[in-house]
Amino acid sequence: MFVQLILSGVAQGSIYALVALGMTALFRATTIVNFGHGEFFMGGAFVLYVMINVVGLPFLPGALLAIVVMFLVGMTIERVLIRPMGLAPHIALAMMTVAFSFLFRGIARAFWGREVLPMPAVFSFPPIDVAGVIITTQDLLITGMTLFFVVLFFIFFQRTNLGRIAQAASANPRGASLVGINVNLFHGTMWGVAAGLGAIAGILVAPITLLYPDMGALILIKAFAAMTLGGFGNLGGAVVGGLLIGILEQLSGGYLSTALIDIFAYLVIIAVLLIRPAGLFGIRESQRV
Amino acid sequence: MSLLQVENVSVQFFGLKALSDVTFDVEPGQVRAVIGPNGAGKSTLFNVITGYVRPNEGKVVYDGQSVVGLPRHVVAGRGMRRTFQNGGVFSELTVLENVLTGLNAVTASSTLGIVLRLPGAGAAERRAVDEAMSLLETMGLAGLANNVVGDLSSGQQRLVEITRAMAARARLLLLDEPAVGLSSSERDRLMNVLRDLAKDGVAVLLVEHVIDLVMAVSDRIVVLNYGEVIAEGTPEEIRSHEAVLEAYLGHG
Amino acid sequence: MSDLQATLPAGPVRRPASAKRWLVRLAIAVLLLLPPVFSNDYVQYVVNLIVVYALVAVGFNVVLGYLGQLAFANAAFFGIGAYTCGISMVHLGLPFWAALVPTGIVSLAAGALVGLPALRLKGYYLAIVTLVLGELMRWSYIHGDVLTAGSSGLGIPPATAAGFTFGTEDEKYYLFLLVAAVMIWATNNIIRSRIGRSWVAIRENELATAALGMSPAVGKVTAFAWSGFVVGIAGALFAILIGRIAPESFNLHQLLLHFAIVMIGGLGSILGSILGAIVLTAAPEVLRNFPGMEEIVFSLLLIGVLLFMPRGLQGVLVGWFPRLRERLYRE
């Protein structure tokens, strides 16, 4: 049972990791914590649903198109809602992200009402049985795709110009314009990337989960838990934190009580922030006068 | 006896010496200025005295007691008040509301009295308003009482901050570059206020770049350079001090 | 500067003469007593809901607007108040007025308790912890079914006092109006005192606040405690109003509604909170047949406020009638 729980924990944690990675990248680049990130996740799943069930596309082109759509949505948010706020205080920017998350949920609800939508099964490979441990294809796919995108992301961050700028900008938040980069374009791209990563997570879980307009709220808190555990603002920490949360959730659910799965992430957040706010891999912020 | 004694204070930031072995004192009724080139450690000194930075070595004794490590508001509550170099006004509040916050610590209205609007608490609150208004009168700011501070000129904001700092009968007033942004008439008013405060027995510690103001109001001056005291004395002594002329005034 | 001085009154704003002021107050009081005369049961229910949400928003505004802390514990306070009141009535058999005592104590304590992490955690961290707290509370309502009756919801008996039962919406209205008026009056008293000024000072500049002899820690804990208290009492009214409280009543959607009311009404304004409650409680009733429209309309209003009118509806009103500007002192 232990191995089984670990495996499903890794698959679950991969999703948290992807969402947390997008939020962290955005936070590093813009110093904004996006309370609307769960809606990128929801948006990815819903756009995919539309692509397949309304437009009639097969899964793969539908998924790619959904990612592109969400990337553009992210850029649009930056252009229309965030950029006009300029150097508004953080609290106001956070409020704006709450506002647009509300908008997205409303739009989803306007089309789907309070229904819960199942996605038609996309893949129907039988589960693989390895020495008594059953691995579902979907878990394998989720873990594999996450690994692929995380590696892709880190290569992007280390090797490309944009990635290097993102790192420079995070060392000196909002001051990146001083070194002569196009801050607006950069921020817009990072919003797009963040939305894209959130959408990928939503697309990966869409075939095995039910779709409903509020599905982003839960994933947001899980992603916060991942970020907090890994050290807020630490990219690698977000990924490791996400995987850890996923695994620990499954273990606590399997060995202690299933009711605990629901609140495990909450307890992690509270415990970490009260005991060691810097998380596992974070650096303590020094106070400035 | 002196009200404030700074004894052998040293501060290091990441191995860099910001202050080394600084010693001086301030007596009641005395205006004491700290001058020195940029980066000489003046602001750090201020932050050490008011508890915003902890010294690596040395003592800060205020009113006979060491204040190192005490919470800032406790020290402030004993009458040590400061202003901030970058402006510490509450810019969304009116001038009157700002000065009232300065009086908060001495406004003796009970919590229950406030919640239920009992007469005793109301009277204490009204006394605070009266006192704030008379302070604003002496600073020539009464006409602006209901203006939002953020809408005022930077000089006026400075004066509001100073009024707020001295409001609760400050015994030691630390002013961090109070003359920045002041017009010449405002500067004169500031000088008069500082002299009056000293006459009433308030100790004033001043960090300032405007040399003629320092020379005009200070009783004694400390000169810092690279975190060390290079001279100490009356304005006349400082004016003719060779090391000072070289380190500071000569290049000023 | 001399021009400016000439046009402005010196000192605190002179209010209209005392007699006129009392007339205005009397008129407002009469207007507040009137709604049951003209409303039907449904309209009166909505009006009652407005009273509850006005109180909620005033309480939330203490932390969000006056203290300036991004804390999302409001749905938690609301639920704690509702459940404490409900449990006291159902399991302890207390009448409503007596149940307000444990409700007040528990929600005050809950507020103070949430204030403690606010001493260490700033900005986003506080927002996240308090957001989580609300969800944790909701989980405990579901799983504490011995007391809370779990997901199916806890039935609340009607409020009684001295043999009189507040059974109809009209009767509930007068009860709610009394409780809400007292709470808002007390909050206004605090805002216009050294305590309210210390909250705003912390919002504006915490370092400078300490330098003026005020303890930021004490200020934060008292603000959270008072906020919890007010919102908790509002929760008790809510329990009486809807007659059955379920965990789902205190979810993220509830929190977002509170948040929108405070923001759209105006941060740091009691009048704004009341205005916000009127607009945003009435709107969902109009939009109830169009799924999703409530969220869309609220979010567009929120976005509009954030981009174009940072002081919300109250700010617009003050622009027209400067006399409505709320002060932090009494003349």
Side-chain angles (χ1 to χ4, degrees), chain B:
Chain B
M1 201 185 106
S2 29
L3 183 61
L4 177 75
Q5 291 155 279
V6 176
E7 291 173 22
N8 313 107
V9 163
S10 297
V11 174
Q12 294 181 354
F13 291 127
F14 309 109
L16 293 169
K17 283 230 163 190
L19 289 176
S20 52
D21 206 20
V22 173
T23 299
F24 68 93
D25 58 11
V26 188
E27 284 163 25
Q30 188 184 51
V31 178
R32 160 79 81 172
V34 179
I35 62 172
N38 276 330
K42 301 177 305 262
S43 288
T44 306
L45 179 62
F46 250 50
N47 287 332
V48 168
I49 295 171
T50 50
Y52 285 73
V53 168
R54 221 188 153 106
N56 299 85
E57 284 164 54
K59 282 204 291 188
V60 178
V61 177
Y62 170 73
D63 198 17
Q65 277 183 299
S66 168
V67 292
V68 172
L70 285 182
R72 296 154 194 161
H73 68 273
V74 171
V75 183
R78 293 186 191 159
M80 186 202 283
R81 294 299 177 89
R82 68 170 291 179
T83 63
F84 292 82
Q85 194 180 338
N86 303 322
V89 287
F90 305 137
S91 48
E92 287 193 24
L93 271 54
T94 65
V95 171
L96 177 59
E97 287 165 349
N98 261 277
V99 178
L100 281 170
T101 58
L103 287 162
N104 256 3
V106 294
T107 304
S109 42
S110 71
T111 305
L112 193 69
I114 287 170
V115 175
L116 300 177
R117 211 178 160 182
L118 301 179
E125 292 284 333
R126 270 193 300 277
R127 270 200 304 280
V129 174
D130 290 343
E131 195 169 338
M133 280 312 296
S134 73
L135 273 167
L136 286 171
E137 207 84 54
T138 49
M139 293 294 281
L141 294 168
L144 300 171
N146 287 312
N147 284 46
V148 174
V149 170
D151 298 341
L152 302 181
S153 73
S154 64
Q156 288 167 333
Q157 295 195 16
R158 291 260 153 193
L159 290 180
V160 170
E161 195 183 355
I162 294 166
T163 316
R164 195 183 66 182
M166 61 190 228
R169 310 251 153 68
R171 296 172 63 203
L172 171 65
L173 199 57
L174 299 103
L175 304 178
D176 202 347
E177 303 198 3
V180 172
L182 261 55
S183 68
S184 64
S185 69
E186 286 168 342
R187 215 175 268 183
D188 290 343
R189 199 183 300 151
L190 176 64
M191 278 199 262
N192 288 331
V193 168
L194 292 184
R195 287 200 189 101
D196 288 347
L197 283 169
K199 230 175 273 171
D200 292 343
V202 175
V204 178
L205 184 62
L206 193 66
V207 163
E208 190 47 76
H209 273 305
V210 183
I211 290 301
D212 46 346
L213 180 122
V214 169
M215 292 298 173
V217 298
S218 310
D219 298 306
R220 298 191 73 82
I221 298 173
V222 176
V223 187
L224 285 182
N225 196 19
Y226 296 111
E228 285 181 56
V229 177
I230 57 167
E232 200 278 337
T234 64
E236 291 71 34
E237 289 165 5
I238 295 300
R239 217 187 284 272
S240 53
H241 199 289
E242 222 161 272
V244 178
L245 291 174
E246 197 169 306
Y248 185 49
L249 299 176
H251 303 288

Side-chain angles (χ1 to χ4, degrees), chain A residues 13-92:
Chain A
S14 298
I15 298 299
Y16 303 159
L18 269 182
V19 178
L21 185 64
M23 288 179 75
T24 306
L26 186 64
F27 175 66
R28 290 278 298 261
T30 65
T31 73
I32 292 172
V33 169
N34 180 15
F35 283 83
H37 214 89
E39 276 58 43
F40 292 156
F41 170 83
M42 180 270 286
F46 270 79
V47 175
L48 175 67
Y49 182 90
V50 171
M51 292 298 169
I52 292 175
N53 287 8
V54 181
V55 182
L57 290 178
F59 180 83
L60 208 56
L64 287 175
L65 210 54
I67 296 171
V68 172
V69 167
M70 289 309 292
F71 181 88
L72 294 176
V73 166
M75 285 198 84
T76 311
I77 286 175
E78 191 279 332
R79 180 69 196 88
V80 178
L81 300 179
I82 304 295
R83 199 185 300 175
M85 296 191 75
L87 296 182
H90 282 128
I91 184 167

Side-chain angles (χ1 to χ4, degrees), chain C residues 1-302:
Chain C
M1 195 174 97
S2 54
D3 288 350
L4 208 58
Q5 274 172 328
T7 55
L8 285 162
V13 174
R14 300 279 166 248
R15 299 278 165 162
S18 174
K20 194 176 160 197
R21 207 195 304 180
W22 278 106
L23 265 178
V24 171
R25 286 182 188 175
L26 192 70
I28 292 174
V30 169
L31 277 176
L32 283 176
L33 291 175
L34 282 181
V37 179
F38 300 105
S39 65
N40 60 31
D41 246 23
Y42 170 66
V43 171
Q44 191 57 47
Y45 166 79
V46 176
V47 172
N48 292 354
L49 205 55
I50 289 175
V51 176
V52 172
Y53 279 127
L55 193 56
V56 168
V58 167
F60 198 6
N61 216 334
V62 165
V63 160
L64 209 56
Y66 291 96
L67 190 66
Q69 299 284 315
L70 190 58
F72 288 138
N74 215 60
F77 295 152
F78 196 50
I80 288 169
Y83 271 104
T84 310
C85 179
I87 290 167
S88 305
M89 290 174 81
V90 173
H91 295 290
L92 303 179
L94 295 180
F96 176 70
W97 59 267
L100 283 183
V101 176
T103 303
I105 293 170
V106 170
S107 44
L108 192 78
L113 216 61
V114 174
L116 292 179
L119 305 182
R120 273 191 72 180
L121 303 172
K122 291 207 187 339
Y124 296 136
Y125 293 109
L126 181 64
I128 294 167
V129 160
T130 48
L131 188 71
V132 162
L133 182 83
E135 290 300 285
L136 210 52
M137 286 312 300
R138 201 159 59 84
W139 181 86
S140 56
Y141 306 142
I142 297 172
H143 292 273
D145 41 7
V146 181
L147 288 174
T148 63
S151 302
S152 55
L154 184 66
I156 311 288
T160 54
F164 182 79
T165 303
F166 295 89
T168 67
E169 295 299 332
D170 288 359
E171 288 158 359
K172 284 181 197 167
Y173 174 74
Y174 291 114
L175 176 70
F176 288 9
L177 191 64
L178 177 72
V179 175
V182 170
M183 298 297 293
I184 292 175
W185 172 78
T187 306
N188 189 39
N189 289 344
I190 297 174
I191 296 299
R192 292 171 160 237
S193 75
R194 63 176 171 83
I195 299 175
R197 290 194 295 273
S198 74
W199 294 346
V200 176
I202 291 167
R203 174 190 81 195
E204 293 282 302
N205 187 335
E206 206 174 315
L207 289 180
T209 302
L212 293 168
M214 293 173 269
S215 158
V218 171
K220 284 183 187 173
V221 172
T222 48
F224 270 98
W226 185 259
S227 176
F229 179 63
V230 173
V231 177
I233 296 290
L237 297 184
F238 183 70
I240 292 292
L241 178 65
I242 62 173
R244 173 173 293 274
I245 46 173
E248 280 316 296
S249 305
F250 308 100
N251 58 12
L252 285 177
H253 189 80
Q254 181 73 254
L255 175 69
L256 286 170
L257 174 63
H258 300 177
F259 184 72
I261 291 175
V262 173
M263 294 290 301
I264 291 167
L267 283 172
S269 159
I270 288 177
L271 178 67
S273 289
I274 297 170
L275 288 175
I278 294 171
V279 173
L280 293 189
T281 312
E285 298 302 325
V286 179
L287 301 170
R288 113 188 339 251
N289 292 326
F290 309 95
M293 283 319 282
E294 183 185 334
E295 284 98 330
I296 292 175
V297 170
F298 281 18
S299 59
L300 291 179
L301 281 172
L302 258 176

Side-chain angles (χ1 to χ4, degrees), chain A residues 179-270:
Chain A
V179 295
I181 63 160
N182 184 341
V183 178
N184 285 336
L185 183 66
F186 165 60
H187 282 178
T189 312
M190 290 313 290
W191 270 96
V193 168
L197 282 172
I200 291 171
I203 288 165
L204 287 175
V205 297
I208 47 162
T209 188
L210 296 170
L211 270 53
Y212 54 100
D214 291 330
M215 65 191 276
L218 198 62
I219 203 82
L220 177 77
I221 292 183
K222 305 280 169 131
F224 275 144
M227 291 171 79
T228 318
L229 186 61
F232 222 82
N234 185 321
L235 292 164
V239 176
V240 176
L243 291 172
L244 273 178
I245 297 277
I247 293 168
L248 292 174
E249 249 181 22
Q250 293 298 320
L251 289 180
S252 67
Y255 290 111
L256 300 172
S257 141
T258 46
L260 267 179
I261 291 191
D262 297 336
I263 56 161
F264 187 80
Y266 308 162
L267 298 177
V268 167
I269 290 178
I270 291 178

Side-chain angles (χ1 to χ4, degrees), chain C residues 313-324:
Chain C
L313 294 174
Q314 180 262 356
V316 175
L317 269 186
V318 168
W320 295 337
F321 311 103
R323 191 174 283 164
L324 289 176

